[in-house]
């Protein structure tokens, strides 16, 4: 199979990211007449730079593992051709949906993904607030694509395309797009709801590029009420080290110090965020149920 030379698309996109962040700052101040949260944006940019630097190591490791799996076994020989890129566009997005969903449903994966949700602002700089730890292990969600027969290079390229697509949806400058776009694609409106802490929006809209997966698997929620961004319990810090590792510290503290059985201590690693062994759990589903109960009680 002829393997094309494809550059790291994320690195080529960095100038575009920088220009559009600056443009959004100007629009926020001049058009919306709002103050721009420079400290928050600075933290997000530092997280993005750290993610890029760590990616220089992890992408090599992941590529080597993908090649190993691919060379040991794959079902089909999928070439680098136009129809294969269409197939992997949807196949990668399907994998991303489940990676993203499980990253909210399992604390072990949430420990890295929480970084992206830790900002109480929602703008293009928020898209750059990326994990420093996730790339070491979240690649497992894309292993099925290698086993099917997509070449490792093709998989990594499509993962980068998905990440670049998701950059522009982190903004409040775009309201709602035409209905047919909102019906098929992930948009700023859909993703604003995903980043919100309003009970009805919690753990909804996991889409990468296509919102169709959320509609298919029952996790779609349209943006109606104004979103309130951040975490259910915000971390109140601009320190990138704390942003990167605060949930890992909290998770392992629960594991090692809780007076619980080994079985329950292991559950602290894999149960949803907010789970407690003593029955005092407050999960996103509990918050949503309380909200629905209050809504039903209103005249």
């Amino acid at each position: 199979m002829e393997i094309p030379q494809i550059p790291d698309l994320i690195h080529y996109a960095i100038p575009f990211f920088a220009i559009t962040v600056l443009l959004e700052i100007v629009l926020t101040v001049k058009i919306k007449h709002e103050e721009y949260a420079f400290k928050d944006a600075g933290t997000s940019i530092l997280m993005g730079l750290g993610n890029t630097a760590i990616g220089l190591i992890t992408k090599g490791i992941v590529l080597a593992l993908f090649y190993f799996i691919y060379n040991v076994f794959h079902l089909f020989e999928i070439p680098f051709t136009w129809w294969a890129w269409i197939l992997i566009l949807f196949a990668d997005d399907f994998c991303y949906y489940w990676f993203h969903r499980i990253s909210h449903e399992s604390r072990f994966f949430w420990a890295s993904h929480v970084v992206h949700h830790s900002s109480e602002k929602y703008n293009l700089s928020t898209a750059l607030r990326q994990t420093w730890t996730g790339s070491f292990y979240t690649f497992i969600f894309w292993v099925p694509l290698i086993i099917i027969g997509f070449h490792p290079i093709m998989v990594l390229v499509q993962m980068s395309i998905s990440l670049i697509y998701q950059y522009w949806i982190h903004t409040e400058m775009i309201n709602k797009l035409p209905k047919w776009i909102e019906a098929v694609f992930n948009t700023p409106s859909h993703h604003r709801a995903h980043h919100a802490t309003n009970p009805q929006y919690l753990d909804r809209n996991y889409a990468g590029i296509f919102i169709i997966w959320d509609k298919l698997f029952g996790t779609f929620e349209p943006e109606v009420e104004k979103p309130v961004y951040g975490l259910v319990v915000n971390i109140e810090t601009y320190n990138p080290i704390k942003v990167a590792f605060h949930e890992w510290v909290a998770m392992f503290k629960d594991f090692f110090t809780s007076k619980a059985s080994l079985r329950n201590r292991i559950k602290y690693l894999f149960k949803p965020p907010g789970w407690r062994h003593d029955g005092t759990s407050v999960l996103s589903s509990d918050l949503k149920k309380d909200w629905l109960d209050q809504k039903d009680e209103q005249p």
Side-chain angles (χ1 to χ4, degrees), residues 205-255:
N205 299 1
Y206 298 113
I209 296 176
F210 299 107
I211 200 66
I212 55 176
W213 311 119
D214 288 287
K215 294 183 176 182
L216 181 63
F217 296 112
T219 54
F220 175 70
E221 187 73 33
E223 180 191 25
V224 179
E225 179 181 309
K226 182 176 175 58
V228 178
Y229 306 112
L231 303 173
V232 172
V233 179
N234 287 306
I235 56 176
E236 309 291 348
T237 182
Y238 297 119
N239 185 326
I241 303 298
K242 291 182 179 179
V243 172
F245 300 109
H246 76 275
E247 184 61 19
W248 288 106
V249 172
M251 181 177 69
F252 284 117
K253 182 179 178 181
D254 285 337
F255 176 81

Side-chain angles (χ1 to χ4, degrees), residues 58-73:
T58 57
K59 282 184 179 179
I61 296 171
V62 171
L63 183 61
L65 287 170
F66 278 179
Y67 263 113
F68 174 77
I69 296 168
Y70 184 83
N71 290 331
V72 169
F73 176 77

Side-chain angles (χ1 to χ4, degrees), residues 75-111:
L75 292 170
F76 305 102
E77 194 82 18
I78 300 176
F80 284 83
T81 188
W82 66 268
W83 55 263
W85 287 107
I86 294 175
L87 283 180
I88 200 170
L89 170 65
F90 288 92
D92 165 82
D93 209 52
F94 181 76
C95 291
Y96 180 86
Y97 170 86
W98 285 107
F99 146 72
H100 199 180
R101 180 168 177 172
I102 292 172
S103 291
H104 282 253
E105 295 177 348
S106 170
R107 196 176 181 188
F108 181 69
F109 292 96
W110 175 247

Side-chain angles (χ1 to χ4, degrees), residues 16 19 32 43 51 60 63 66 116 123 134 162 166 172 183 195 207 215 218 257 267 286 298:
F16 170 74
I19 292 169
K32 296 184 71 178
T43 299
N51 174 271
L63 183 61
F66 278 179
H116 186 59
N123 51 47
S162 177
Q166 292 175 62
E172 292 186 308
H195 270 258
K215 294 183 176 182
T257 66
K267 288 181 180 179
D286 298 321
Q298 294 176 355

